[in-house]
Amino acid sequence: MGKPDYELINPASGTRSALPVRSGTIGPDCLDIAGITRDQGVFTFDPAFSVTASCESKITYIDGDAGVLLYRGYPVEQLAASSSFMEVAFLLINGELPGAAELTAFRTSITRHSMINESLLRFTNGFHHNAHPMSMVSAVVASMAAFYYDSMDIYSPRHREIFSHRIIAKLPTIAAAAHKHALGQPFIYPRNDLDYCSNMLSMFFAVPCEEYQVDPVAAKALDLLFILHADHEQNASTTTVRLAGSTGTNPYAAISAGVSALWGPAHGGANEAVLNMLEEIGKAENIPKYLALVKDKGSHSKLMGFGHRVYKNFDPRAKIIREACHRLLAKLGQQDDPLFELALRLEEIALKDEYFVSRKLYPNVDFYSGLIYSALKIPRSMFTVMFAIARTVGWVAHWLEMIGDPAMRIARPRQLYTGPTQRDYVAVAQRR
Ligand code: SDX
């Protein structure tokens, strides 16, 4: 027997509306509120979507109280320990882990799509040398809609597949082009003999005048970070991609919107902001003063890399990244990195502080990731671009899930209007 419906009763008129219960495979039930506007003439009010499930999805599950994250049912800890970013990308997009032949075919297809049109390079080179790379990446990805306009029918499964491989393959190339432009160095073409992360490091750090050897330790560290950043259900940037995509727009344009949404410091931009914050704090003695600042609502400062809309416990990704940071810094001989020591001390103090304890604020995915990027010599302004490269997989998986749903409709929320009531136009000469 199904669960009984909830009911909404208007206390004045007695009008009743059934709120059918919808159950997922795991997680809290949802109330289907679709009938209440028809029956009662009211909307629901949920600014910032704190309690609203905007869609059904089979991709990623989070239990924020228990600190659990599953990709297609697989715990992120297991994937981080044993899988690869390419395998996780296949899993998120297709729903199942690939067989050996499927994985080889997927990797080959991604590798073969990694070159970008030379005109996109000219576009990149048009930016000022100090343009922020997130803005450049967002613009170049949006311009791909112009390059792949005629060949993108969103209702063609083959076109959708080509789009998904193209965008995952080209994001590192676009990011590397932005990086080289900022440095004033020549663009380095992708190499098909390298895996996804090794190729990315080569495009970032090689120069044409000497041979570049990829450090396998660096490639492995990057691969781990990409696995951990690949998807996170209906976060702000994924919701942006879904919303833009729901209009039927070109998917490159929808992904560009996602890049822009990710850039904000409350979202993916926090990884860059964490390093700036650690530098501003400078030394452990200054931590109490900084915590006093973030507790002061008037300061508009936050403890960057802390807190989460869903996790009211440890973000499982932060735990994995902190351990990876220990291992990587030791391997690179940087175990005494003062910013890492400061971050560990800051975490320790914040987790004992009543303000953070009572609000259940824990380190999130962005708290330690920048320290790994720094150790890999990736410049700070590129940190959020790294996040975008990994998250492109999640954006693509969600876009495909949404476009493949025959019940898809344009996303269009309503509002609680608090502006002026109707009034008559007054000619300018008569206005006070
Ligand atoms: C990501 O959604 C996703 O899944 C995102 C993400 C992904 O993979 O896609 O996980 C990636 O975006 C991680 C988050 C990165 N952002 C930061 O690290 C920036 C710092 N954090 C915050 O700005 C904040 O915690 C958010 C934006 C992450 C969450 O915002 P919420 O959900 O609106 O915060 P909340 O309602 O839970 O806050 C409750 C209270 C408030 O205080 P009161 O009004 O109750 O007194 O906690 C306070 C907040 O002001 N608070 C903080 C804080 N985070 C929340 N106070 C100080 N420092 C903080 N970091």
Side-chain angles (χ1 to χ4, degrees):
M1 208 177 81
K3 294 181 182 165
D5 291 347
Y6 285 66
E7 203 174 38
L8 181 77
I9 305 169
N10 180 329
S13 65
T15 310
R16 290 166 176 266
S17 299
L19 302 174
V21 175
R22 300 195 55 172
S23 299
T25 44
I26 33 175
D29 290 334
C30 288
L31 301 184
D32 183 342
I33 56 167
I36 69 166
T37 307
R38 182 194 58 228
D39 300 342
Q40 313 253 9
V42 294
F43 297 127
T44 56
F45 183 63
D46 180 24
F49 310 123
S50 296
V51 293
T52 295
S54 61
C55 62
E56 246 185 67
S57 182
K58 294 179 169 54
I59 302 172
T60 290
Y61 173 74
I62 304 172
D63 180 336
D65 294 322
V68 168
L69 171 59
L70 311 176
Y71 290 165
R72 299 283 189 181
Y74 295 100
V76 75
E77 292 83 358
Q78 290 181 20
L79 295 168
S82 311
S83 186
S84 68
F85 178 57
M86 279 296 99
E87 194 177 47
V88 165
F90 185 100
L91 170 70
L92 286 168
I93 290 172
N94 298 294
E96 296 297 337
L97 286 166
E102 284 174 318
L103 182 57
T104 304
F106 181 70
R107 279 200 176 116
T108 305
S109 177
I110 298 294
T111 302
R112 295 267 161 80
H113 278 106
S114 57
M115 271 182 26
I116 54 174
N117 190 302
E118 292 287 310
S119 303
L120 282 175
L121 274 183
R122 287 199 289 278
F123 194 74
T124 305
N125 290 336
F127 283 96
H128 200 53
H129 67 90
N130 60 359
H132 195 286
M134 276 302 273
S135 158
M136 294 170 74
V137 170
S138 170
V140 175
V141 170
S143 78
M144 286 172 77
F147 283 83
Y148 303 110
Y149 180 69
D150 290 343
S151 58
M152 188 58 239
D153 171 5
I154 60 171
Y155 297 110
S156 155
R158 180 66 187 137
H159 284 195
R160 297 202 293 244
E161 185 182 47
I162 294 172
F163 149 73
S164 60
H165 291 201
R166 258 189 197 140
I167 189 75
I168 292 168
K170 292 185 198 310
L171 236 288
T173 317
I174 292 168
H179 175 56
K180 288 295 193 186
H181 177 65
L183 291 179
Q185 287 183 2
F187 172 70
I188 300 292
Y189 286 91
R191 277 177 51 186
N192 286 1
D193 60 322
L194 296 176
D195 64 65
Y196 191 84
C197 288
S198 300
N199 175 50
M200 217 208 77
L201 290 169
S202 160
M203 290 190 294
F204 263 62
F205 298 118
V207 288
C209 35
E210 61 189 30
E211 203 182 316
Y212 175 76
Q213 291 294 338
V214 178
D215 179 353
V217 171
K220 181 109 188 67
L222 206 54
D223 200 77
L224 173 71
L225 284 185
F226 283 3
I227 291 173
L228 297 173
H229 285 84
D231 191 41
H232 216 232
E233 52 119 303
Q234 308 310 321
N235 61 84
S237 54
T238 302
T239 299
T240 300
V241 171
R242 277 187 177 261
L243 194 137
S246 79
T247 68
T249 193
N250 184 294
Y252 297 99
I255 298 289
S256 162
V259 175
S260 300
L262 185 72
W263 189 11
H267 193 11
N271 56 13
E272 182 181 342
V274 166
L275 268 275
N276 293 336
M277 172 188 78
L278 291 173
E279 252 176 24
E280 189 186 333
I281 296 173
K283 46 187 181 189
E285 296 91 280
N286 296 334
I287 291 175
K289 201 165 98 202
Y290 196 82
L291 291 185
L293 178 79
V294 302
K295 291 186 226 173
D296 171 9
K297 297 276 175 229
S299 76
H300 300 294
S301 294
K302 287 272 191 287
L303 188 59
M304 301 313 288
F306 255 72
H308 199 275
R309 174 62 61 80
V310 185
Y311 292 118
K312 301 302 166 195
N313 195 330
F314 259 96
D315 178 335
R317 302 167 299 174
K319 276 192 200 167
I320 301 171
I321 297 175
R322 187 181 51 198
E323 287 321 301
C325 207
H326 274 294
R327 284 197 307 274
L328 179 73
L329 293 178
K331 270 190 193 153
L332 299 177
Q334 302 174 22
Q335 55 271 44
D336 300 327
D337 178 35
L339 287 187
F340 183 45
E341 286 185 0
L342 186 62
L344 289 170
R345 189 79 189 109
L346 180 57
E347 176 189 337
E348 192 187 328
I349 295 177
L351 290 180
K352 288 187 191 136
D353 187 301
E354 196 278 330
Y355 176 94
F356 295 91
V357 173
S358 61
R359 289 170 176 76
K360 300 186 177 167
L361 303 171
Y362 290 85
N364 61 50
V365 69
D366 289 323
F367 192 66
Y368 288 106
S369 60
L371 291 157
I372 295 195
Y373 293 133
S374 276
L376 300 180
K377 308 262 181 294
I378 290 169
R380 206 171 289 179
S381 63
M382 292 301 295
F383 290 1
T384 314
V385 174
M386 296 295 116
F387 192 157
I389 292 171
R391 185 53 58 86
T392 295
V393 163
W395 293 331
V396 164
H398 282 271
W399 181 81
L400 289 170
E401 182 175 64
M402 182 187 70
I403 296 288
D405 179 355
M408 181 190 97
R409 294 167 72 207
I410 188 169
R412 182 19 174 126
R414 300 302 300 262
Q415 63 173 5
L416 176 64
Y417 176 71
T418 55
T421 53
Q422 183 170 331
R423 49 188 173 162
D424 291 326
Y425 176 80
V426 180
V428 68
Q430 272 86 60
R431 281 176 224 154
R432 281 193 295 134

